[in-house]
Amino acid sequence: ALHDRDPDNRLIARQSRFRLDAEFVRDDALAISGLLVPTIGGSSVRPYQPPGYLVHLNFPSRDWRDEPGEDQYRRGLYTFWQRTFLHPSLLAFDASPREECSTERPRSNTPQQALTLLNDPTYVEAARVFAQCVLREGGTSSGERLAFAYRRALSRLPTEDEQRIHEGLLAAHLASYRADPAAARRLLAVGHHELAADLDVAELAAWTSVARVILNLHETITRS
């Protein structure tokens, strides 16, 4: 009834939905997958970044080395900050480069954000570990596993349309990876986290594809 009376929330009777800030987008994916390390304090850390991203920085030149071990999965708050060469994932989601004072961050919706969520090693690895969790804890049928994945990521069950779309995606990718195991292994090799040796490679790769889609949903990165 309140939404009907004030659909645009001009009277500010409720909290509007908004996309998470750049650091929290990554934290959200790591938390859903179970990778997030909540340790407080300490030195800056270096998440995955494209090779050669800092090649044009001189005096002195910089060499980015991805953090090993648990430091790779610490909160985005601790990401090493290089002004003028902001971490690409943070830049894609509108983090301020800190070259000047800013009272408020913009919130854009761009193709680069979707591409980051699909292809950045952080999110591919998070999807892989999320898929492992789904296969181990989500039940035995695809329906049970999708329900588990949606509850974990979105705190709700999938609709009939969502169920149909995801099951179609799962079937297509499972057939593709069964026909090309090398492609499955290439996908599962992304990231430092140890690969599950007890799971079928093609099945895990197919569920990783489904998990990548779930982590890319607008609802997943939106605070409501």
Side-chain angles (χ1 to χ4, degrees):
L2 182 61
H3 185 275
D4 291 339
R5 290 176 59 190
D6 184 20
D8 296 324
N9 200 25
R10 294 181 181 276
L11 302 178
I12 317 179
R14 62 184 183 277
Q15 179 173 283
S16 297
R17 295 178 178 178
F18 58 87
R19 199 208 67 223
L20 298 174
D21 283 334
E23 294 87 347
F24 301 148
V25 172
R26 177 175 172 274
D27 291 355
D28 190 43
L30 294 178
I32 291 169
S33 69
L35 284 171
L36 186 68
V37 174
T39 304
I40 296 175
S43 302
S44 298
V45 296
R46 290 169 168 79
Y48 305 117
Q49 183 168 285
Y53 183 64
L54 303 180
V55 69
H56 296 295
L57 281 176
N58 293 306
F59 312 114
S61 59
R62 277 82 162 179
D63 182 23
W64 184 277
R65 297 179 183 274
D66 299 335
E67 292 288 344
E70 289 190 344
D71 282 346
Q72 178 62 226
Y73 312 112
R74 297 194 63 197
R75 291 176 56 199
L77 172 69
Y78 298 106
T79 298
F80 181 85
W81 208 280
Q82 177 66 57
R83 284 189 299 179
T84 72
F85 278 81
L86 184 61
H87 189 280
S89 181
L90 296 179
L91 183 63
F93 287 99
D94 307 312
S96 170
R98 298 185 184 178
E99 293 180 90
E100 56 188 18
C101 293
S102 176
T103 58
E104 184 179 5
R105 288 184 181 181
R107 285 194 175 92
S108 64
N109 182 8
T110 67
Q112 287 88 340
Q113 293 168 1
L115 291 170
T116 297
L117 292 174
L118 278 177
N119 301 314
D120 186 305
T122 291
Y123 298 100
V124 177
E125 181 182 35
R128 169 169 65 86
V129 179
F130 183 23
Q132 291 176 188
C133 181
V134 169
L135 289 172
R136 286 173 171 164
E137 303 175 31
T140 55
S141 70
S142 61
E144 290 173 333
R145 289 168 173 172
L146 279 170
F148 173 87
Y150 261 69
R151 282 197 303 267
R152 187 172 176 112
L154 304 176
S155 300
R156 67 171 178 85
L157 294 174
T159 65
E160 290 184 5
D161 284 342
E162 289 167 338
Q163 185 93 13
R164 175 180 51 79
I165 291 169
H166 283 302
E167 287 188 346
L169 174 70
L170 176 65
H173 280 244
L174 185 57
S176 175
Y177 286 127
R178 290 227 186 277
D180 188 359
R185 286 190 289 270
R186 285 195 299 271
L187 173 64
L188 300 179
V190 175
H192 297 326
H193 193 271
E194 185 178 0
L195 178 62
D198 59 322
L199 298 175
D200 178 75
V201 169
E203 187 174 33
L204 178 57
W207 275 101
T208 297
S209 296
V210 174
R212 290 170 78 185
V213 171
I214 294 174
L215 293 181
N216 205 321
L217 292 174
H218 180 74
E219 186 177 348
T220 305
I221 61 171
T222 299
R223 187 173 186 267
S224 59

